[in-house]
Amino acid sequence: MKKLLFTIIALMFVFTSFAQEKKMLTPVDASYNNYDVYPKGKSFKWLGDSNKYVFSEGDELRYQNPGEKSSHTLLSLDMFNGIAKNNGIEVFKRLPNITWQSENDGYFYRRGDDGSLTLNTLSVSGNSVKEVNTLPANAENVTLNEKTFRIAYTIDNDLYIADGGKQIRLTENPEHVIAGQSVHRNEFAIDGGIFWSPDGNKLAYYLMDESMVTDYPLVDITTRIAEAKPIKYPMAGMTSHIVKLHVYDIAAGTDVVMQTGEPEEHYLTAITWNNDNEKIYIGILNRGQDTLNFNEYNALSGEFCQTIFHDEDEQYVEPQGPAHFLPGSTTEFVWLAQRDGYYHLWLHNTKTLKAKQIEKGNYVVTSFDGFDGKGNAYYTSTEVSPLQRHFYKVNIKNGKKVRITQKHGTHSVVPSKSGDYFIDNYSSTDVPRAVCIQDEKGRFFAPLYEAENPLKDYNLGVTEIDSIKAEDGQLLYTRIIKPYNFDENVKYPVIVYVYGGPHAQLITDTWLAGAGIYLNYLAQEGFIVFTVDNRGSADRGEAFEQVIHRQCGQMEMHDQMTGIEYLKTKPYIDPERIGSDGWSYGGFMSTSLKINYPETFKVSVAGGPVINWKYYEIMYGERYMDTPQENPEGYELTALDNKTDKLEGKLLIIHCSTDPTVVWQNSLSFLENAIHNQKQMDYFVYPGHDHNVYGMDRAHLIEKITEYFRENL
């Protein structure tokens, strides 16, 4: 077992009488409804293409050069309203959120009393504010092209363009045919359905036909007679929706479909325009998700041109976003791929079809962050530690790289256009939130802001990060949170908080070590709160993550039990009082642990749990489990609704009645099987909530869970 060098001490108390004067966290604090217990932030942005940064101070926007001792007024509310009045525009009560395109020019949106949304341009030097486009109140998926100020948006299932005050309707779709919105249930890094060409004269958009997908019944109970509100939910192994990519040419008024071929049940990902505005690229991922073709199409005719590259993986291929063409290039782009076991940057050429790895190592590039004008690419990675995120620049041609961020923690960095300076927003186990400027050599240049610790007056215990080894020798990180009045001579009950699934990492070098207020609240109530990031969780490489393929929950449980053995070496742990808690994939894991290790887990709570992967949607479910037809043994092994005969002790399942992600049928099928097996369990429903409980009701959820552990653990 390897002990990490740092132990995170949230707050230690020498005198009990002093500790009693501290504040206690509440369920309201833990439910995001008291902003005073979360670190405050302050926004700093680059002023257009310059090396000046801009920030708010009272009713002013101020700017400053790195290295300057004082800032200067860029725009005050009085100055802004003076410009607005001179241009016949109603005055503002506060400065709007302005996106600066140069040192003097920018744009902003304003919401009208009727809900309409107006795009305005601002010129400080020109003393002008102009209204460019106004969208109706029900406009959604608003997507701007900054060169032309054209705006694409959706109303219901249809797509529109606002152009110089005119509204162009692109589609008139029947029910269940949807334009311009996210598709494939937001998998494969898809977060929208509208893609402007670089010059803003053409618009690519998704058109999704869901008419062939099975209706899944959700119920609205707010009406006198409850109403059915069915959604289209493609379950694993069943019929999926069909997606096409269209390109609309504004000048010609033409709309063409890209000829992506058969079979139609494939996924269209990574939509990318070439800088020439005439070619568009689509990542064609087969339904089995083990083959990806990155194809080039003629955006004017829709014809297939060529395949730029072909990727295969025995388990699955998971695209991480679009291609990124080098500035001014129509032939070279950067792509993020996991071809050597880790996600890294690759340089591709559309003419030679050759590819070159730009940087490499046993770490994960978690994001591509842009280019400078000096032949460098920017990225964020786990190279320093899987717990940290640091920002780098790398020369695209020779691979020479510079680490920009130096302080331990998790960094989010925005470079200036020149690449001379970088605004670094970061958090760590000893810094709640801070902003500073680094220079291009990675040297700390100037502090801009550091948030006060909002919990300095609260009873917090000690948080410790450690590491253990999985069965295959891979390192697993653990986190223990102790009660604020911890006594090493007392044996404490333990709550194992678990997620365990893909795309999540619970233990990080961030404020509170990634635990948040909720887990610290549980610790305050007298529990040891323990977490281990098992194999299958995010950003540790292919071997670490793909071990779950076709057998979700199995290796994860082994790692959780390795964590239990580690816990039992602690003299302050009561091995007879161990519980588990988790939501979604974590609910699946918490229930799995309860069913498979009843002798270990006395009490378990599971929220929104996947109970049988046959009830889960195609895109996520088939990536990790294949279809029920292809993998019947895996589905049988991982199913929980046929194993309630093993249920012992106390189990509370919580589900939201209108959950569109893990549908209610999951936990109801488990409940039904428990009844048939004469097994008692506890069950609670949050009517009208979706995949989790938010808003003021979340405090109720937290108190519900806490009270269950108080009574039974």
Side-chain angles (χ1 to χ4, degrees):
M1 190 191 312
K2 176 185 176 185
K3 184 76 176 177
L4 294 187
L5 294 178
F6 57 91
T7 295
I8 306 93
I9 301 183
L11 207 45
M12 296 186 70
F13 304 98
V14 178
F15 301 105
T16 303
S17 60
F18 177 72
Q20 290 173 345
E21 296 173 3
K22 295 284 185 177
K23 298 178 184 178
M24 301 291 284
L25 294 167
T26 69
V28 172
D29 297 332
S31 64
Y32 316 116
N33 288 304
N34 178 12
Y35 297 115
D36 289 339
V37 298
Y38 296 89
K40 302 296 185 291
K42 189 170 183 178
S43 175
F44 294 84
K45 298 188 287 189
W46 295 113
L47 185 56
D49 292 345
S50 74
N51 282 335
K52 300 172 183 175
Y53 56 91
V54 62
F55 58 94
S56 297
E57 199 168 275
D59 285 339
E60 287 191 343
L61 277 177
R62 302 187 67 82
Y63 72 90
Q64 193 166 341
N65 285 293
E68 275 191 318
K69 292 183 178 180
S70 58
S71 61
H72 315 275
T73 299
L74 173 66
L75 190 66
S76 68
L77 180 60
D78 287 341
M79 291 168 59
F80 178 82
N81 279 330
I83 297 173
K85 281 182 183 178
N86 290 339
N87 289 269
I89 293 176
E90 186 180 349
V91 298
F92 285 53
K93 294 180 181 178
R94 62 183 65 87
L95 283 171
N97 183 17
I98 300 168
T99 299
W100 295 97
Q101 295 180 292
S102 71
E103 292 190 46
N104 288 288
D105 303 310
Y107 64 86
F108 61 91
Y109 291 96
R110 185 178 193 179
R111 185 72 68 177
D113 294 337
D114 60 354
S116 61
L117 186 67
T118 299
L119 173 69
N120 300 264
T121 57
L122 165 70
S123 173
V124 177
S125 59
N127 201 39
S128 71
V129 174
K130 295 179 181 178
E131 294 183 352
V132 180
N133 277 308
T134 297
L135 312 182
N138 57 345
E140 298 180 312
N141 301 296
V142 174
T143 308
L144 171 70
N145 179 271
E146 292 189 352
K147 285 191 175 180
T148 63
F149 292 113
R150 290 171 173 145
I151 304 173
Y153 62 96
T154 64
I155 296 177
D156 298 327
N157 288 359
D158 287 309
L159 179 64
Y160 299 76
I161 293 175
D163 183 9
K166 299 183 299 181
Q167 309 297 320
I168 305 170
R169 183 171 183 170
L170 271 63
T171 64
E172 294 186 41
N173 291 324
E175 189 178 10
H176 305 310
V177 177
I178 301 165
Q181 299 184 33
S182 188
V183 299
H184 305 321
R185 296 184 70 85
N186 290 17
E187 294 295 332
F188 323 114
I190 295 170
D191 64 357
I194 296 171
F195 313 92
W196 282 108
S197 62
D199 64 5
N201 294 323
K202 301 180 184 69
L203 183 73
Y205 64 92
Y206 283 132
L207 188 74
M208 176 170 64
D209 184 352
E210 294 186 301
S211 60
M212 68 292 294
V213 176
T214 304
D215 285 337
Y216 192 88
L218 300 181
V219 178
D220 178 6
I221 64 166
T222 61
T223 57
R224 173 70 185 275
I225 297 177
E227 294 182 359
K229 299 287 186 181
I231 61 171
K232 293 293 186 178
Y233 193 90
M235 284 189 181
M238 300 179 71
T239 303
S240 183
H241 52 237
I242 293 174
V243 174
K244 302 289 187 182
L245 188 77
H246 288 237
V247 172
Y248 180 79
D249 187 315
I250 295 174
T254 56
D255 189 294
V256 297
V257 182
M258 301 301 104
Q259 303 304 307
T260 51
E262 301 288 341
E264 289 187 310
E265 277 195 345
H266 52 204
Y267 304 117
L268 307 188
T269 71
I271 309 303
T272 307
W273 278 97
N274 192 303
N275 286 326
D276 65 9
N277 301 289
E278 295 182 354
K279 293 186 285 292
I280 198 165
Y281 301 83
I282 308 174
I284 309 291
L285 185 67
N286 67 325
R287 177 159 171 175
Q289 301 187 44
D290 55 8
T291 300
L292 175 73
N293 287 322
F294 193 67
N295 292 344
E296 179 183 278
Y297 296 86
N298 184 316
L300 305 178
S301 66
E303 294 177 347
F304 167 79
C305 300
Q306 61 177 338
T307 296
I308 306 301
F309 65 80
H310 170 89
D311 280 349
E312 287 185 34
D313 191 279
E314 195 171 313
Q315 279 76 41
Y316 52 84
V317 180
E318 190 172 1
Q320 296 296 301
H324 306 277
F325 273 87
L326 275 58
S329 176
T330 59
T331 59
E332 290 187 302
F333 65 83
V334 170
W335 178 262
L336 188 59
Q338 187 172 244
R339 293 169 180 157
D340 64 351
Y342 297 89
Y343 280 105
H344 287 295
L345 303 181
W346 291 75
L347 180 66
H348 283 266
N349 190 297
T350 62
K351 286 197 177 297
T352 66
L353 303 186
K354 291 182 178 179
K356 181 187 77 168
Q357 190 169 354
I358 298 173
E359 43 69 50
K360 61 180 65 177
N362 294 339
Y363 59 86
V364 174
V365 172
T366 56
S367 66
F368 169 80
D369 300 315
F371 301 101
D372 62 15
K374 306 170 186 177
N376 298 307
Y378 301 125
Y379 67 92
T380 301
S381 82
T382 65
E383 184 171 357
V384 172
S385 163
L387 302 181
Q388 300 184 37
R389 300 292 183 271
H390 284 278
F391 188 85
Y392 296 80
K393 70 174 181 180
V394 59
N395 186 278
I396 296 168
K397 299 303 181 184
N398 62 29
K400 182 181 178 181
K401 62 185 175 183
V402 176
R403 175 179 161 189
I404 302 297
T405 53
Q406 301 297 324
K407 293 188 176 183
H408 78 87
T410 298
H411 298 260
S412 177
V413 177
V414 180
S416 64
K417 182 71 173 180
S418 67
D420 293 334
Y421 298 101
F422 303 82
I423 295 176
D424 176 17
N425 291 269
Y426 69 96
S427 168
S428 70
T429 50
D430 47 25
V431 176
R433 184 175 293 169
V435 186
C436 69
I437 288 185
Q438 315 278 128
D439 71 11
E440 64 176 337
K441 294 183 179 178
R443 295 176 299 201
F444 181 82
F445 197 83
L448 299 182
Y449 171 78
E450 184 164 338
E452 185 178 280
N453 181 359
L455 298 180
K456 60 182 174 56
D457 296 326
Y458 284 80
N459 278 319
L460 290 193
V462 174
T463 298
E464 297 174 348
I465 291 179
D466 201 352
S467 62
I468 57 179
K469 286 188 177 180
E471 291 174 334
D472 64 357
Q474 295 201 67
L475 209 61
L476 307 175
Y477 290 98
T478 66
R479 180 184 61 217
I480 288 177
I481 309 174
K482 297 175 180 177
Y484 70 94
N485 53 359
F486 176 75
D487 182 343
E488 62 182 8
N489 297 311
V490 172
K491 293 216 177 263
Y492 288 90
V494 178
I495 298 173
V496 176
Y497 184 76
V498 59
Y499 182 78
H503 302 154
Q505 182 185 23
L506 299 185
I507 304 166
T508 54
D509 187 355
T510 56
W511 186 61
L512 300 180
I517 303 293
Y518 168 54
L519 299 189
N520 279 274
Y521 170 71
L522 290 177
Q524 172 196 272
E525 297 302 293
F527 301 98
I528 295 290
V529 180
F530 176 74
T531 296
V532 56
D533 273 328
N534 51 246
R535 285 173 294 169
S537 54
D539 296 337
R540 294 292 304 278
E542 184 175 51
F544 191 92
E545 296 172 24
Q546 293 191 352
V547 70
I548 72 173
H549 189 241
R550 292 171 65 90
Q551 53 173 359
C552 284
Q554 307 312 298
M555 293 303 177
E556 301 97 300
M557 283 193 290
H558 285 302
D559 290 350
Q560 292 296 324
M561 294 308 295
T562 300
I564 294 296
E565 293 307 310
Y566 161 77
L567 267 184
K568 289 179 178 178
T569 66
K570 306 294 184 181
Y572 51 81
I573 296 298
D574 185 346
E576 301 302 316
R577 290 190 294 161
I578 296 177
S580 64
D581 177 30
W583 199 280
S584 192
Y585 201 104
F588 163 65
M589 284 295 300
S590 187
T591 310
S592 296
L593 290 167
K594 182 65 174 168
I595 289 292
N596 288 280
Y597 300 96
E599 72 285 354
T600 298
F601 293 92
K602 181 181 180 183
V603 183
S604 291
V605 176
V610 178
I611 292 296
N612 192 319
W613 288 99
K614 73 180 183 181
Y615 297 135
Y616 204 70
E617 49 93 347
I618 286 172
M619 296 81 194
Y620 184 104
E622 291 183 3
R623 180 186 313 135
Y624 302 115
M625 288 292 293
D626 289 335
T627 68
Q629 299 90 328
E630 294 167 327
N631 184 23
E633 299 85 1
Y635 276 82
E636 175 67 21
L637 176 67
T638 60
L640 300 172
D641 53 0
N642 58 2
K643 298 181 176 66
T644 61
D645 58 306
K646 300 178 181 179
L647 182 60
E648 297 176 21
K650 301 294 290 185
L651 171 65
L652 169 63
I653 287 184
I654 303 171
H655 218 122
C656 298
S657 68
T658 54
D659 191 332
T661 305
V662 180
V663 293
W664 197 4
Q665 186 174 359
N666 277 272
S667 62
L668 289 176
S669 68
F670 185 91
L671 180 61
E672 180 185 38
N673 191 259
I675 293 167
H676 291 337
N677 282 319
Q678 298 297 306
K679 294 290 185 175
Q680 295 294 330
M681 58 173 287
D682 295 296
Y683 194 84
F684 197 84
V685 176
Y686 281 91
H689 284 279
D690 293 341
H691 188 44
N692 211 316
V693 181
Y694 293 106
M696 294 308 297
D697 290 349
R698 188 166 181 82
H700 184 280
L701 167 69
I702 289 169
E703 182 56 34
K704 181 73 179 176
I705 294 171
T706 308
E707 188 61 31
Y708 196 76
F709 283 123
R710 282 196 201 107
E711 290 179 358
N712 299 296
L713 199 62

